[in-house]
Amino acid sequence: MDRLFQNNLAWAARMRAEDPAFFEDLAHQQTPRYLWIGCSDSRVPANEIVGLKPGEVFVHRNVANLVMHTDFNCLSVVQYAVEVLKVRQIVVTGHYGCGGVRAALHPADMGLIDNWLHSISVLAKRHRAFLEDARDESDQIDRLCELNVIEQVRILCENSVIRHAWLRGQELTVNGCVYGLRDGLLKDLGVSISAESEIEPKSSRALQSLLERYLG
Ligand code: CO
């Protein structure tokens, strides 16, 4: 713990040196324009990857970046971000080599986590031929990581919090990206949805281009 406290002192001093009013301004209010829904993986820190400071991105992370209609934690974050903070962009971010996705692909008896990952196993069964076409296990996992992001974007868009925001005329776009652990780059999966009528056409198109990209 000593290391953490020392790092914190140095970090706070650095931030104050850059901008003496930084913490005071932030303490009054946060006005993030983005909501990040990503994986808990320690190698995928939301703020750092996209170069945003404290106060600029609202974050929810869980194993394998899942959105579930029964998850009050995730949905409370989404509701607060959309209705109170009025974020304009939501980014569901998966990452290649995701351990959660790997576990869903090869279910072992890992206890509680198997239940959490069940929906990815179902998704893998739905796309079995595409996954079996992969050249190796790592390619297979990466394919499923991308499929999972497109699926989570669709699920999120179908949630009442998002649909009601659109019905009110609120400007809000849900995006899907995947992050590369090997190169540090964020890839846009081409599934940016800004209205209920776009859910089906845009997620189908993103899925189609994903399949074409891998199958050549
Ligand atoms: Co992960």
Side-chain angles (χ1 to χ4, degrees):
M1 283 303 289
D2 286 347
R3 184 177 160 218
L4 301 192
F5 288 119
Q6 276 165 20
N7 283 353
N8 172 252
L9 279 177
W11 174 78
R14 231 172 22 247
M15 296 301 279
R16 269 196 307 272
E18 263 177 47
D19 175 3
F22 182 74
F23 292 110
E24 201 175 301
D25 289 348
L26 265 189
H28 292 306
Q29 64 165 349
Q30 58 165 343
T31 50
R33 301 194 46 189
Y34 309 94
L35 165 62
W36 173 282
I37 298 177
C39 184
S40 298
D41 193 300
S42 65
R43 298 165 294 180
V44 196
N47 285 66
E48 281 185 72
I49 289 171
V50 287
L52 294 177
K53 285 184 175 166
E56 294 186 309
V57 57
F58 203 61
V59 174
H60 177 78
R61 290 168 68 181
N62 62 43
V63 173
N65 40 272
L66 297 180
V67 177
M68 291 195 210
H69 294 298
T70 48
D71 178 3
F72 292 121
N73 182 355
C74 179
L75 294 184
S76 300
V77 169
V78 171
Q79 183 178 24
Y80 189 78
V82 169
E83 294 179 8
V84 181
L85 299 172
K86 298 205 163 34
V87 298
R88 295 285 187 87
Q89 304 284 341
I90 300 180
V91 195
V92 178
T93 307
H95 67 98
Y96 294 124
C98 181
V101 170
R102 179 187 294 115
L105 200 52
H106 305 290
D109 194 5
M110 296 201 296
L112 186 63
I113 191 81
D114 291 345
N115 299 293
W116 176 252
L117 298 172
H118 179 72
S119 67
I120 310 181
S121 301
V122 173
L123 186 66
K125 281 191 192 111
R126 202 193 307 158
H127 293 280
R128 199 161 132 192
F130 172 61
L131 295 173
E132 279 176 355
D133 167 78
R135 63 175 186 277
D136 54 28
E137 194 203 13
S138 133
D139 183 30
Q140 206 168 45
I141 291 164
D142 291 352
R143 289 178 182 210
L144 188 52
C145 288
E146 292 194 28
L147 287 171
N148 182 42
V149 170
I150 293 171
E151 178 74 354
Q152 301 313 313
V153 166
R154 191 186 57 74
I155 292 170
L156 181 56
C157 288
E158 284 170 352
N159 187 266
S160 60
V161 174
I162 304 296
R163 285 194 299 113
H164 289 163
W166 284 332
L167 282 174
R168 288 193 302 270
Q170 194 173 329
E171 242 181 80
L172 178 67
T173 305
V174 182
N175 308 274
C177 292
V178 65
Y179 174 75
L181 296 173
R182 289 188 193 87
D183 58 12
L185 296 177
L186 204 54
K187 176 156 72 188
D188 185 359
L189 289 177
V191 60
S192 295
I193 298 175
S194 311
E196 191 165 359
S197 60
E198 295 178 359
I199 301 174
E200 267 324 301
K202 287 205 172 172
S203 50
S204 302
R205 209 179 309 148
L207 180 61
Q208 197 54 41
S209 70
L210 188 170
L211 299 180
E212 282 166 10
R213 183 154 37 82
Y214 278 99
L215 300 174

